[in-house]
Amino acid sequence: MCDTDTTERRPVIRVVDLVKRFGGRAVLNGINLEVHPGETIVIMGGSGCGKSTLLRHMVASLFGDEGRVELLGQNLNDLNESGLNALRLRFGILFQSGALFNSMTVGENVALPLREHTGLDEQTIDIMVKIKLEQVGLREAADLMPSEISGGMKKRAGLARAISLDPEILFYDEPSAGLDPVTSAEIDQLIMDLSGKLGVTSVVVTHEMDSAFTIADRMAMLDMGRMLKIGPRSEFEALRDGPETGDETGDLIRQFLRGDPEGPITARRLSTGYEEDILATAGE
Amino acid sequence: MSAGAGQRNFVEVLGARLIGSISYIGGMAILLTQAIGASKATLARSSGRQAIVGQMVRVGVRSVGIVCLVQTFIGVILALQMAPPLEPLGQVHQIATIIGIAGFRMLGPILTGVIISGFAGASIAAEIGTMVVAEEIEALRAHALNPVRFLVVPRLLATLVMMVLLTIIANWMIAIGGYVTALLVLKPEVSAGYWALMQENLLLRDFYSGLIMAGVFGVLISLIACYEGLKVRGGAEGVGRATTMTVVYSIVSIVLAAGVFTTIFYVFEF
Ligand SMILES: Nc1ncnc2c1ncn2[C@@H]1O[C@H](COP(=O)(O)OP(=O)(O)OP(=O)(O)O)[C@@H](O)[C@H]1O
Ligand SMILES: [Mg+2]
């Protein structure tokens, strides 16, 4: 049920017993996860199960109450701000909304990390920006403002910015959410290109199952702050296509993968005593 | 029993308010410290200096018209209000002194601060709050770019400088408002001796003390605006709240700070 990948190389990301509470409620409740160099891992789970929160811990935007995250061999808890910043230059993030800087053009967005973190002259930066935008198919949009481009273009522009410093790891939060099927497939293709051609390690959070099964080497299923299962894509495919087994965890994952309207997930929701709730309220 | 519960509630609420205020002020103090620490880096870069100039234009240009309008009327009002009580004493010409002191020391900086709270403070809070909601701040951090250096420092320095400059303009407008009133409404000898008397009776420190306050107001306004903006959680609603709170807290803190400063100036006879 745990890590079935047997590569001996050191993991690029290691999440160990990570716990995060928001106002007493554990949103992440003892997460363990290892991501290996060059692979694409997809983290799935229902809305509000803690996917984005887990991602935020991996990119040093949030810090756990217990446990730790190691990125490229360094424990994030041990680093100060400048240590974290040095590490931040080595990974890129595609935010759920694209998170472009709205006061700058698309080209300036991509140029910003280059201007701030490299000593390159403007001419070289210009060329780099063109290359990055071409990689995501947005070269013509360089001079447009973020408010002038579509959602899919924003995602691609965000991706161009994320890869501006040639990162070793790329994190994606719902890269294809809210996009039409063709655009979403294009983004999937981009993710696969980046990991295939550049050897980038990718961590993708999504609940689009088609996209997940297309891009994943390994998959991880998160549920109510716990990691239900981590395994190669083939295992999840077998689970999705196989018959019900009566094994609660397996059936729960199967329902999620298939998107069935009935199953353990929905049963669990129903069993949290509606009547008791009503009666308790009435008794007050 | 219910009285006891009510009392405890009252104490609890009071305590929570107190802790809330302390942590608010503490948060602002931390932000100010960070901004002072980051200001060197901002000033060292041409992009940072450009950002400061851009913010100065934004803070100043939009408000200068309103500042002139409001402050001219303050001069008019002061002259018209002070003339009748001075008349029986034969001291009407002293409105020049009164306008100078009340205007330069207090109304110039305070009203300019109130106007800037509404114009610049609210729009800075809305802008930064919207950036928080759109994950832009998180994106800055993720690119190892310090939001304080990038956003807070330019706004802080720009508001500080523009508050001082606008207050200088405001002082002139108050004086001119008073003069025009004297010219049109009051006895001719009042307007004839107006500028000379103002020069004679006003000390440089009357002028400077107002400008020092104006600079402090600028820091308060921009700090509150940035802090409220960065604190935004939960969408457009949070942004709206942040802008409202920025204006309210700015005005309150301006008046409180003016009280503190005036007391200090009084004690040290400055
Ligand atoms: N800063 C925060 N303060 C308090 N609660 C939070 C915070 N961030 C997230 N949460 C809570 O943690 C839970 C998990 O949130 P998270 O955004 O990680 O979910 P998610 O799996 O990404 O969901 P979605 O698929 O809808 O994006 C939610 O219930 C959310 O309300
Ligand atoms: Mg999410």
Side-chain angles (χ1 to χ4, degrees):
Chain A
M1 172 166 155
C2 245
D3 200 3
T4 48
D5 197 304
T6 49
T7 37
E8 279 158 289
R9 288 176 299 174
R10 266 178 62 196
V12 192
I13 306 168
R14 247 161 74 91
V15 179
V16 185
D17 299 327
L18 185 66
V19 176
K20 180 66 176 183
R21 296 184 200 90
F22 284 124
R25 190 170 63 96
V27 171
L28 299 178
N29 201 352
I31 302 283
N32 285 285
L33 178 70
E34 290 190 354
V35 184
H36 305 288
E39 75 171 344
T40 299
I41 188 163
V42 170
I43 300 171
M44 307 170 293
S47 267
C49 74
K51 304 183 296 295
S52 297
T53 306
L54 175 57
L55 202 70
R56 289 202 159 94
H57 282 81
M58 292 198 263
V59 300
S61 169
L62 284 177
F63 294 87
D65 298 317
E66 291 168 32
R68 63 179 192 274
V69 176
E70 289 169 20
L71 208 61
L72 297 159
Q74 286 175 283
N75 184 345
L76 297 184
N77 295 337
D78 296 344
L79 295 174
N80 59 12
E81 194 60 23
S82 65
L84 288 174
N85 279 342
L87 208 54
R88 281 173 180 137
L89 301 181
R90 297 171 65 188
F91 62 79
I93 310 169
L94 176 58
F95 288 87
Q96 195 156 345
S97 60
L100 296 174
F101 305 124
N102 282 306
S103 56
M104 302 179 189
T105 65
V106 169
E108 285 167 351
N109 263 278
V110 182
L112 185 69
L114 294 164
R115 288 208 176 106
E116 295 293 328
H117 294 303
T118 68
L120 299 173
D121 58 282
E122 276 304 303
Q123 215 177 351
T124 319
I125 288 177
D126 259 9
I127 296 170
M128 300 271 290
V129 168
K130 288 212 174 95
I131 295 172
K132 299 300 173 189
L133 285 174
E134 178 64 27
Q135 259 179 301
V136 300
L138 268 189
R139 201 160 40 78
E140 308 77 48
D143 295 325
L144 296 179
M145 297 303 284
S147 56
E148 298 170 321
I149 61 177
S150 71
M153 288 163 89
K154 278 184 195 162
K155 287 259 165 84
R156 282 188 283 165
L159 190 52
R161 188 180 65 187
I163 60 174
S164 61
L165 294 175
D166 299 317
E168 296 159 55
I169 314 171
L170 272 170
F171 296 91
Y172 303 83
D173 195 355
E174 316 254 2
S176 45
L179 301 180
D180 67 76
V182 176
T183 314
S184 148
E186 276 175 3
I187 299 269
D188 289 347
Q189 192 59 49
L190 272 173
I191 297 174
M192 289 192 290
D193 280 353
L194 287 170
S195 79
K197 288 180 192 156
L198 307 175
V200 178
T201 307
S202 310
V203 179
V204 185
V205 162
T206 188
H207 40 211
E208 310 272 317
M209 282 307 115
D210 289 342
S211 156
F213 279 105
T214 313
I215 60 180
D217 296 318
R218 285 196 307 141
M219 302 174 104
M221 176 80 193
L222 198 60
D223 181 57
M224 298 173 73
R226 291 183 175 278
M227 204 54 103
L228 282 189
K229 178 180 169 70
I230 305 172
R233 179 173 69 192
S234 54
E235 274 183 27
F236 278 81
E237 278 168 343
L239 195 61
R240 177 189 58 183
D241 301 333
E244 279 191 30
T245 53
D247 159 42
E248 169 122 27
T249 310
D251 287 345
L252 197 147
I253 298 172
R254 181 178 304 106
Q255 186 193 357
F256 187 84
L257 297 178
R258 287 185 182 171
D260 290 340
E262 275 174 41
I265 301 175
T266 30
R268 185 174 64 191
R269 230 174 264 159
L270 292 175
S271 72
T272 46
Y274 178 52
E275 286 136 35
E276 290 152 41
D277 198 16
I278 296 274
L279 288 175
T281 318
E284 259 177 23
Chain B
M1 188 179 131
S2 81
Q7 218 160 38
R8 194 169 56 232
N9 241 335
F10 175 73
V11 173
E12 270 171 21
V13 168
L14 202 71
R17 277 281 163 89
L18 194 68
I19 291 169
S21 314
I22 291 171
S23 77
Y24 190 94
I25 292 168
M28 290 223 317
I30 291 170
L31 187 61
L32 181 63
T33 318
Q34 288 174 341
I36 292 170
S39 59
K40 223 171 101 186
T42 309
L43 287 166
R45 288 166 183 267
S46 72
S47 62
R49 291 191 295 268
Q50 270 168 20
I52 294 172
V53 174
Q55 291 301 323
M56 280 167 63
V57 171
R58 164 201 183 167
V59 172
V61 169
R62 285 176 58 195
S63 8
V64 69
I66 299 283
V67 167
C68 290
L69 181 73
V70 168
Q71 301 287 17
T72 310
F73 270 85
I74 291 296
V76 173
I77 292 166
L78 276 177
L80 291 179
Q81 280 187 334
M82 292 320 293
L86 289 170
E87 179 79 70
L89 306 170
Q91 298 288 327
V92 184
H93 58 283
Q94 286 294 352
I95 60 162
T97 315
I98 291 173
I99 284 177
I101 292 188
F104 296 2
R105 276 198 177 243
M106 184 175 73
L107 290 165
I110 287 186
L111 283 177
T112 306
V114 169
I115 293 167
I116 294 293
S117 306
F119 269 118
S123 92
I124 288 171
E127 179 194 30
I128 294 184
T130 308
M131 291 182 76
V132 170
V133 173
E135 298 178 309
E136 283 184 51
I137 305 290
E138 212 176 335
L140 274 179
R141 284 216 180 86
H143 284 97
L145 298 171
N146 178 359
V148 174
R149 191 196 96 201
F150 233 72
L151 300 171
V152 177
V153 173
R155 282 157 183 75
L156 201 108
L157 291 177
T159 315
L160 177 121
V161 172
M162 289 321 284
M163 263 304 293
V164 174
L165 294 182
L166 285 169
T167 300
I168 293 173
I169 296 176
N171 290 345
W172 270 105
M173 290 301 145
I174 294 176
I176 290 171
Y179 177 70
V180 170
T181 311
L183 201 63
L184 299 179
V185 184
L186 304 176
K187 286 187 204 141
E189 65 262 29
V190 178
S191 56
Y194 186 87
W195 295 112
L197 196 69
M198 199 177 261
Q199 240 171 16
E200 192 186 304
N201 283 351
L202 283 191
L203 302 168
L204 263 185
R205 66 184 184 214
D206 292 319
F207 193 64
Y208 286 136
S209 65
L211 296 190
I212 293 170
M213 288 212 295
V216 173
F217 296 165
V219 172
L220 283 173
I221 294 165
S222 50
L223 204 60
I224 290 171
C226 290
Y227 186 65
E228 284 288 337
L230 289 172
K231 229 162 49 90
V232 164
R233 296 289 173 271
E237 211 179 302
V239 176
R241 218 194 76 90
T243 48
T244 311
M245 286 339 250
T246 297
V247 176
V248 173
Y249 288 155
S250 294
I251 293 175
V252 171
S253 66
I254 283 172
V255 175
L256 291 185
V260 171
F261 268 98
T262 309
T263 310
I264 292 172
F265 291 151
Y266 178 81
V267 170
F268 291 96
E269 293 176 14
F270 183 80

